[in-house]
Amino acid sequence: MIKLEKLISWFYLILAIIFEVSGTTCMKLSQEFTKLIPSIFIFVFYGLCLTFLTLSLRTIPVSIVYSIWAGLGTLIIANISVIWFNETLTLIKIISMFLIIVGIAGLNWES
């Protein structure tokens, strides 16, 4: 039973990341709140994100949840910005994304 609860918490964390990335993408699409639908979805997606983020804390320590949520969300958004919004991908961005991965791994090494 405990393993199932832990698995469900990881699923909640994945959902939180998906909704956070969706909300952040809608921020860009809302064009400073001038587009109604993306503006509404910002709040919907962030509400769902924080709900699932909170639920993931049932069995996963907050330091692990937050580092994975923030780090993976940042990595995914950085890639979406390059692919979808045609932002430039520089060597500094690539190195920085690599360091985020190293940081997440380092924070979660003991667990």
Side-chain angles (χ1 to χ4, degrees):
M1 186 67 169
I2 293 174
K3 290 183 180 182
L4 180 61
E5 286 181 38
K6 188 101 170 173
L7 186 63
I8 290 170
S9 290
W10 282 101
F11 178 70
Y12 288 152
L13 179 56
I14 291 166
L15 288 175
I17 292 167
I18 290 168
F19 286 124
E20 188 265 335
V21 167
S22 300
T24 303
T25 303
C26 284
M27 282 185 197
K28 178 72 172 176
L29 296 174
S30 75
Q31 297 178 5
E32 300 175 2
F33 293 111
T34 60
K35 303 289 183 186
L36 180 62
I37 300 302
S39 297
I40 292 170
F41 276 125
I42 292 170
F43 297 99
V44 171
F45 288 143
Y46 269 102
L48 289 167
C49 165
L50 294 175
T51 298
F52 285 112
L53 193 65
T54 302
L55 292 172
S56 72
L57 294 170
R58 285 182 181 165
T59 62
I60 308 171
V62 68
S63 61
I64 293 172
V65 166
Y66 191 76
S67 65
I68 292 172
W69 174 74
L72 287 181
T74 302
L75 287 173
I76 295 168
I77 285 297
N79 285 293
I80 286 173
S81 69
V82 169
I83 295 166
W84 196 356
F85 298 118
N86 299 316
E87 294 183 14
T88 58
L89 182 63
T90 64
L91 181 60
I92 292 293
K93 285 184 182 180
I94 293 169
I95 292 169
S96 298
M97 285 190 273
F98 174 75
L99 290 173
I100 290 170
I101 294 167
V102 171
I104 292 170
L107 286 169
N108 296 299
W109 188 264
E110 288 185 14
S111 48

